[in-house]
Amino acid sequence: MKDHVFYLKRTITLSELAVKHDNTPFGDLLADPDGNIILEQENIEITENDCTGHAETALMRKATKLYDKDFLWNCILYTSVEPCAMCSGAIYWRNVGKIVYGISEKELLKLTGNNKQNPTLDLPCRKIFEHGQKEIEVEGPITEITEITEDILEIHRKYWLE
């Protein structure tokens, strides 16, 4: 299994692809228990005109069709930004056992402010999961890897502030 940096860098690339495809800068991937990337997803909300087109929710829709819940429990979802409440629910219901994210939703909110395109709920995914019946492991924000944090923040600064 590669380290978190490898996977989070790929989520940044997926975020950049989302912007290139006229969507907001979010990307994620699913790694199997051996560390193989088995699914990738960029945000599709704008181009698909789908309010549920967040990268994590779209990835969970794909995972539902391909993998059973027992298998997914041993997978890791890597995402550039902490999953929102909707995405956390999709992750919970699909039964992914671990999440690693780069920056927090609270940090994203500092950048987006009251932007109508991103009305952040400021509800940490850990809060959502602690009200469930599964012990989903959450690692993040991964701020000790400053290169990753800065790269994620940079793509969001460019998108939301320029």
Side-chain angles (χ1 to χ4, degrees):
M1 182 112 180
K2 296 172 176 67
D3 66 6
H4 293 330
V5 173
F6 172 82
Y7 299 103
L8 288 171
K9 280 184 177 184
R10 181 65 188 151
T11 69
I12 293 166
T13 300
L14 293 165
S15 298
E16 291 167 341
L17 285 172
V19 172
K20 196 175 197 177
H21 297 135
D22 298 322
N23 285 294
T24 51
F26 299 94
D28 60 16
L29 63 86
L30 193 64
D32 72 12
D34 295 322
N36 301 305
I37 296 173
I38 57 173
L39 288 174
E40 295 183 329
Q41 183 64 53
E42 60 191 68
N43 198 57
I44 57 171
E45 182 179 9
I46 297 170
T47 54
E48 303 265 330
N49 194 26
D50 178 0
C51 66
T52 67
H54 293 191
E56 297 93 332
T57 303
L59 188 98
M60 290 300 98
R61 282 195 290 270
K62 285 181 181 177
T64 296
K65 295 174 183 171
L66 298 171
Y67 304 106
D68 67 36
K69 288 183 173 187
D70 290 335
F71 175 76
L72 289 171
W73 182 254
N74 296 303
C75 292
I76 302 174
L77 179 111
Y78 284 89
T79 184
S80 54
V81 179
E82 179 178 15
C84 72
M86 174 184 67
C87 293
S88 295
I91 293 163
Y92 177 86
W93 289 111
R94 196 59 216 148
N95 208 45
V96 173
K98 183 173 181 176
I99 300 166
V100 177
Y101 65 88
I103 66 168
S104 69
E105 195 168 28
K106 187 176 280 304
E107 190 69 29
L108 178 65
L109 179 59
K110 289 179 191 175
L111 288 173
T112 61
N114 65 356
N115 187 303
K116 290 179 184 175
Q117 193 175 354
N118 192 56
T120 302
L121 288 169
D122 190 22
L123 180 58
C125 66
R126 283 179 177 88
K127 282 278 188 210
I128 294 166
F129 297 141
E130 74 185 30
H131 291 283
Q133 297 175 20
K134 305 172 188 178
E135 292 195 29
I136 296 172
E137 185 180 347
V138 178
E139 277 190 59
I142 306 295
T143 54
E144 69 274 7
I145 307 170
T146 54
E147 143 198 14
I148 293 296
T149 302
E150 276 309 307
D151 289 349
I152 294 169
L153 288 172
E154 183 59 26
I155 190 170
H156 283 278
R157 282 186 200 109
K158 285 180 183 173
Y159 186 85
W160 301 105
L161 303 177
E162 291 183 5

